[in-house]
Amino acid sequence: MTKNIAVIPARGGSKRLPNKNIISLGGKPLVAHSIIYAKDNSNIIDEVYVSTDDPEIKRVAIDYGAKVIDRPASLSSDHSSTASALQHAVHNIEDKPENVFLLQPTNPLRPKDLLVQAYDKFINGDFDSLMTVTRIIEKFGKITKNRFEPFNYSFGQRSQDIEPLYSENGLLYITKAGLISKGIILAENNFPFVVDSPYTKVDIDNEADLRYAEYLIETSS
């Protein structure tokens, strides 16, 4: 039985950045970074799948050693959810896995040891799902009737003294396959795994995001 699979949902039809999932980043197609990352963790990941509706993405996925799940058009629109793509993938894999690792292609850069450390926490903590988050030390507020109202601090309070907030950064998700088959990614028994890395700020949606990712690759090499 296959214990752990990685699923990379990569549909075609990006509007802001045409052909986004196969656009070149660091000399490789965007989707390839997540495939390579999963394969570099083959001691944990048994199989790597790319879910796509696009022939060119499919070709790239196969070239980099991933298996392909042909996603129907009904699950490949702008309004289609990631959960529906994962659910379709699990339902169409003959050797049913225990756990599903979601690697979003638009988050191509991840700390080297992230997957190992997150999986260790997921297994030993007996969680049903895990998500990566980033601590945000910023002063948030809302504007009501032209007045700024602090949300997580008081005026004059030092940034280092405020109660921290956390954001979902999208680098990695781990979920029991039984939940994925029901269309659930984040369970009630979910662990927020904190990641402190400049990679948490990379989410490719436009040219500026791409340039920032290129900068990180160049400065870390």
Side-chain angles (χ1 to χ4, degrees), residues 199-216:
Y199 295 158
T200 63
K201 297 180 180 179
V202 177
D203 186 359
I204 308 296
D205 190 49
N206 54 45
E207 285 285 352
D209 298 333
L210 196 64
R211 288 196 297 270
Y212 178 59
E214 289 280 8
Y215 166 77
L216 290 179

Side-chain angles (χ1 to χ4, degrees), residues 29-69:
L30 187 64
V31 70
H33 289 267
S34 293
I35 297 172
I36 293 168
Y37 186 81
K39 286 191 162 293
D40 283 346
N41 285 278
S42 59
N43 57 321
I44 294 175
I45 303 296
D46 298 307
E47 295 287 357
V48 183
Y49 293 89
V50 172
S51 168
T52 188
D53 62 321
D54 186 273
E56 187 60 20
I57 295 174
K58 180 176 181 176
R59 184 191 65 77
V60 170
I62 292 171
D63 285 349
Y64 279 88
K67 295 184 176 180
V68 173
I69 296 171

Side-chain angles (χ1 to χ4, degrees), residues 85-217:
L86 295 181
Q87 185 180 34
H88 173 265
V90 169
H91 285 169
N92 284 274
I93 293 172
E94 185 175 346
D95 190 8
K96 301 303 180 187
E98 290 182 19
N99 305 305
V100 176
F101 289 66
L102 165 60
L103 298 175
Q104 300 183 130
T106 50
N107 301 96
L109 308 181
R110 301 173 178 89
K112 182 178 180 180
D113 297 329
L114 170 60
L115 192 144
V116 172
Q117 294 171 356
Y119 183 60
D120 180 69
K121 186 68 177 181
F122 176 74
I123 293 298
N124 292 319
D126 196 26
F127 297 103
D128 292 326
S129 65
L130 176 147
M131 64 188 286
T132 53
V133 300
T134 304
R135 180 177 176 176
I136 302 174
I137 307 177
E138 294 183 26
K139 296 180 177 180
F140 289 100
K142 61 181 180 179
I143 296 176
T144 305
K145 296 181 179 179
N146 294 323
R147 290 178 59 86
F148 182 85
E149 300 176 358
F151 173 71
N152 64 325
Y153 74 104
S154 301
F155 284 128
Q157 187 176 12
R158 299 186 309 167
S159 295
Q160 58 265 44
D161 294 334
I162 67 175
E163 181 179 356
L165 296 175
Y166 295 85
S167 67
E168 184 176 349
N169 59 45
L171 293 190
L172 174 67
Y173 300 84
I174 310 174
T175 308
K176 290 184 176 179
L179 292 172
I180 293 294
S181 66
K182 299 175 183 178
I184 299 170
I185 297 177
L186 298 178
E188 185 173 335
N189 180 25
N190 175 70
F191 184 78
F193 189 87
V194 181
V195 180
D196 180 16
S197 167
Y199 295 158
T200 63
K201 297 180 180 179
V202 177
D203 186 359
I204 308 296
D205 190 49
N206 54 45
E207 285 285 352
D209 298 333
L210 196 64
R211 288 196 297 270
Y212 178 59
E214 289 280 8
Y215 166 77
L216 290 179
I217 290 174

